[in-house]
Amino acid sequence: MKRKHVRYTPAESASMLPRFVGRLGVADAVTIANAALGFVAVVVAFVDIDLAARLILFAAVADGLDGILARRYGGTDAGPYLDSLADVASFAVAPAALAFVVITAGLDISHETVTGELLLVSGVCALFVAMAVARLGLYTAYDTAVNYTEGVQTTLAATVLGAAILAGVADPWLVLAVTGAFCYLMVSRISYPDLLARDAAIMGVVHVLAILIPNFAGRTFPYALLTLGLAYMTLSPWFYWREETPRQGTTAHGNA
């Protein structure tokens, strides 16, 4: 029996493709891949905490890359929403999982039974996720048209936690305190300015080196990244000056 050959018209062939074909750009592809990277970081955190920290820092680099690509090749209407959704995975859930593993392992808190200590750590980490999601939603709605943002960026919070782990500054009580502090700082009204291009480039180079060679010269680059991140977080709202000009190219992707 001969098999009948079926011919599809161009319209029918197009209707069989996924919805995103022709609608999303190269920047969106990087953003979506970033979300998957966040999931991998969560899984790896329970096996290799240093590798998980490096993956989160790599996600932060990818988050900056998608913005560059959006400005270079143009963004899409879906860009801002994809960016915030991906950030939930990479800079909300992943760093919270990282903190959870460091704290419970450092304080020898068992995962086998529900205890007060486990509930406390779980509650702080869950609150971190909740406040990060709130911050991302507020950013997408209110902050993408100006060159500053209110509250600590989720990317910065994740970078500080990741750099601290790689630098060996991983005392469980300190990580718990910092995670709890970020729960407020991410939704605070403190204004944080966007970095100028030259400063972003310098921090980007240190960021990449911290990922590639974290143990070089006594963990120099993770320490440097942690120092730069903390300096920006504590000093930039008052001492970092830049001209008040509209932010360029943030209709597709921004730094949330």
Side-chain angles (χ1 to χ4, degrees):
M1 183 177 178
K2 292 184 178 181
R3 181 178 298 177
K4 184 181 289 186
H5 182 68
V6 179
R7 293 178 178 272
Y8 293 100
T9 66
E12 290 173 329
S13 298
S15 68
M16 298 175 65
L17 295 173
R19 285 188 67 194
F20 58 78
V21 175
R23 293 184 175 183
L24 301 182
V26 62
D28 299 322
V30 174
T31 299
I32 293 169
N34 199 14
L37 188 62
F39 169 76
V40 175
V42 171
V43 175
V44 171
F46 292 89
V47 180
D48 187 332
I49 198 67
D50 280 3
L51 178 56
R54 293 169 73 181
L55 288 173
I56 290 174
L57 294 183
F58 182 64
V61 173
D63 186 58
L65 177 62
D66 67 14
I68 294 172
L69 292 172
R71 288 188 287 274
R72 176 65 178 82
Y73 298 105
T76 64
D77 291 340
Y81 305 100
L82 291 174
D83 195 56
S84 289
L85 288 170
D87 287 355
V88 169
S90 297
F91 310 127
V93 177
L98 192 74
F100 177 83
V101 172
V102 170
I103 297 166
T104 54
L107 298 180
D108 197 24
I109 299 174
S110 173
H111 299 172
E112 297 179 0
T113 58
V114 178
T115 62
E117 293 86 353
L118 183 62
L119 289 175
L120 173 63
V121 177
S122 300
V124 171
C125 294
L127 185 61
F128 179 95
V129 174
M131 293 301 98
V133 170
R135 189 259 184 279
L136 290 165
L138 292 169
Y139 173 85
T140 303
Y142 300 111
D143 295 350
T144 56
V146 292
N147 56 16
Y148 67 90
T149 184
E150 289 189 339
V152 168
Q153 301 92 329
T154 56
T155 312
L156 177 61
T159 295
V160 168
L161 287 171
I165 300 302
L166 288 181
V169 186
D171 178 83
W173 289 109
L174 178 60
V175 174
L176 180 63
V178 170
T179 304
F182 277 133
C183 293
Y184 167 72
L185 291 173
M186 287 188 294
V187 293
S188 71
R189 292 184 176 273
I190 302 172
S191 293
Y192 286 89
D194 288 353
L195 289 174
L196 295 170
R198 66 169 187 273
D199 299 330
I202 293 171
M203 192 163 185
V205 170
V206 175
H207 203 127
V208 171
L209 291 173
I211 298 169
L212 296 178
I213 45 176
N215 297 318
F216 176 78
R219 305 191 183 194
T220 295
F221 295 117
Y223 270 114
L225 181 60
L226 178 61
T227 301
L228 289 172
L230 291 175
Y232 170 82
M233 188 175 71
T234 56
L235 300 177
S236 68
W238 296 274
F239 300 107
Y240 191 85
W241 181 88
R242 62 172 298 155
E243 294 180 1
E244 293 296 325
T245 55
R247 180 186 293 176
Q248 300 296 320
T250 54
T251 56
H253 297 268
N255 182 11

